[in-house]
PDB file of all heavy atoms in Angstrom:
ATOM      1  N   ASN A  40     -81.047 -38.175   0.129  1.00 88.00           N
ATOM      2  CA  ASN A  40     -81.759 -37.422   1.102  1.00 88.00           C
ATOM      3  C   ASN A  40     -82.949 -36.637   0.411  1.00 88.00           C
ATOM      4  O   ASN A  40     -82.764 -36.160  -0.687  1.00 88.00           O
ATOM      5  CB  ASN A  40     -80.834 -36.306   1.726  1.00 88.00           C
ATOM      6  CG  ASN A  40     -79.852 -36.830   2.702  1.00 88.00           C
ATOM      7  OD1 ASN A  40     -78.657 -36.639   2.575  1.00 88.00           O
ATOM      8  ND2 ASN A  40     -80.324 -37.627   3.671  1.00 88.00           N
ATOM      9  N   GLY A  41     -84.055 -36.666   1.054  1.00 91.00           N
ATOM     10  CA  GLY A  41     -85.206 -35.935   0.470  1.00 91.00           C
ATOM     11  C   GLY A  41     -85.950 -36.694  -0.573  1.00 91.00           C
ATOM     12  O   GLY A  41     -86.813 -36.146  -1.216  1.00 91.00           O
ATOM     13  N   GLY A  43     -88.096 -39.118  -0.419  1.00 96.00           N
ATOM     14  CA  GLY A  43     -89.497 -39.419  -0.039  1.00 96.00           C
ATOM     15  C   GLY A  43     -89.702 -40.686   0.714  1.00 96.00           C
ATOM     16  O   GLY A  43     -90.793 -41.144   0.911  1.00 96.00           O
ATOM     17  N   LYS A  44     -88.536 -41.230   1.160  1.00 95.00           N
ATOM     18  CA  LYS A  44     -88.618 -42.577   1.805  1.00 95.00           C
ATOM     19  C   LYS A  44     -89.415 -42.457   3.165  1.00 95.00           C
ATOM     20  O   LYS A  44     -90.367 -43.234   3.399  1.00 95.00           O
ATOM     21  CB  LYS A  44     -87.177 -43.091   2.249  1.00 95.00           C
ATOM     22  CG  LYS A  44     -86.341 -43.223   0.922  1.00 95.00           C
ATOM     23  CD  LYS A  44     -84.920 -43.701   1.300  1.00 95.00           C
ATOM     24  CE  LYS A  44     -84.124 -42.698   2.150  1.00 95.00           C
ATOM     25  NZ  LYS A  44     -83.753 -41.473   1.590  1.00 95.00           N
ATOM     26  N   THR A  45     -89.086 -41.487   4.015  1.00 96.00           N
ATOM     27  CA  THR A  45     -89.768 -41.329   5.261  1.00 96.00           C
ATOM     28  C   THR A  45     -91.243 -40.959   5.021  1.00 96.00           C
ATOM     29  O   THR A  45     -92.150 -41.410   5.691  1.00 96.00           O
ATOM     30  CB  THR A  45     -89.058 -40.287   6.110  1.00 96.00           C
ATOM     31  OG1 THR A  45     -87.779 -40.837   6.371  1.00 96.00           O
ATOM     32  CG2 THR A  45     -89.767 -40.139   7.552  1.00 96.00           C
ATOM     33  N   THR A  46     -91.477 -40.093   4.036  1.00 97.00           N
ATOM     34  CA  THR A  46     -92.875 -39.781   3.721  1.00 97.00           C
ATOM     35  C   THR A  46     -93.681 -41.000   3.374  1.00 97.00           C
ATOM     36  O   THR A  46     -94.824 -41.193   3.877  1.00 97.00           O
ATOM     37  CB  THR A  46     -92.904 -38.824   2.455  1.00 97.00           C
ATOM     38  OG1 THR A  46     -92.040 -37.637   2.837  1.00 97.00           O
ATOM     39  CG2 THR A  46     -94.245 -38.384   2.076  1.00 97.00           C
ATOM     40  N   GLN A  85     -87.111 -42.885  12.027  1.00 88.00           N
ATOM     41  CA  GLN A  85     -85.751 -42.362  11.730  1.00 88.00           C
ATOM     42  C   GLN A  85     -85.211 -41.575  12.930  1.00 88.00           C
ATOM     43  O   GLN A  85     -84.072 -41.798  13.315  1.00 88.00           O
ATOM     44  CB  GLN A  85     -85.813 -41.512  10.497  1.00 88.00           C
ATOM     45  CG  GLN A  85     -84.540 -40.978  10.017  1.00 88.00           C
ATOM     46  CD  GLN A  85     -84.614 -40.421   8.553  1.00 88.00           C
ATOM     47  OE1 GLN A  85     -85.678 -40.191   8.018  1.00 88.00           O
ATOM     48  NE2 GLN A  85     -83.443 -40.050   8.038  1.00 88.00           N
TER      49      GLN A  85
HETATM   50  N1  ATP B 401     -93.848 -31.796   6.868  1.00 62.82           N
HETATM   51  C1  ATP B 401     -93.273 -31.430   5.686  1.00 62.82           C
HETATM   52  N2  ATP B 401     -93.644 -30.314   5.041  1.00 62.82           N
HETATM   53  C2  ATP B 401     -93.068 -30.028   3.868  1.00 62.82           C
HETATM   54  N3  ATP B 401     -92.156 -30.672   3.249  1.00 62.82           N
HETATM   55  C3  ATP B 401     -91.720 -31.797   3.798  1.00 62.82           C
HETATM   56  C4  ATP B 401     -92.239 -32.291   5.085  1.00 62.82           C
HETATM   57  N4  ATP B 401     -91.733 -33.396   5.404  1.00 62.82           N
HETATM   58  C5  ATP B 401     -90.835 -33.735   4.416  1.00 62.82           C
HETATM   59  N5  ATP B 401     -90.868 -32.782   3.427  1.00 62.82           N
HETATM   60  C6  ATP B 401     -90.117 -32.716   2.180  1.00 62.82           C
HETATM   61  O1  ATP B 401     -90.406 -33.876   1.430  1.00 62.82           O
HETATM   62  C7  ATP B 401     -89.249 -34.401   0.796  1.00 62.82           C
HETATM   63  C8  ATP B 401     -89.083 -35.859   1.199  1.00 62.82           C
HETATM   64  O2  ATP B 401     -88.734 -35.971   2.554  1.00 62.82           O
HETATM   65  P1  ATP B 401     -88.526 -37.363   3.258  1.00 62.82           P
HETATM   66  O3  ATP B 401     -88.259 -37.098   4.657  1.00 62.82           O
HETATM   67  O4  ATP B 401     -89.636 -38.279   2.898  1.00 62.82           O
HETATM   68  O5  ATP B 401     -87.216 -37.831   2.547  1.00 62.82           O
HETATM   69  P2  ATP B 401     -86.265 -39.086   2.827  1.00 62.82           P
HETATM   70  O6  ATP B 401     -86.094 -39.813   1.628  1.00 62.82           O
HETATM   71  O7  ATP B 401     -86.765 -39.798   4.078  1.00 62.82           O
HETATM   72  O8  ATP B 401     -84.860 -38.428   3.128  1.00 62.82           O
HETATM   73  P3  ATP B 401     -83.616 -38.774   4.154  1.00 62.82           P
HETATM   74  O9  ATP B 401     -82.852 -39.820   3.480  1.00 62.82           O
HETATM   75  O10 ATP B 401     -82.964 -37.512   4.336  1.00 62.82           O
HETATM   76  O11 ATP B 401     -84.324 -39.302   5.424  1.00 62.82           O
HETATM   77  C9  ATP B 401     -88.107 -33.538   1.210  1.00 62.82           C
HETATM   78  O12 ATP B 401     -87.875 -32.564   0.219  1.00 62.82           O
HETATM   79  C10 ATP B 401     -88.620 -32.862   2.420  1.00 62.82           C
HETATM   80  O13 ATP B 401     -88.068 -31.565   2.643  1.00 62.82           O
END
Side-chain angles (χ1 to χ4, degrees):
N40 287 126
K44 304 178 295 294
T45 299
T46 301
Q85 185 166 10

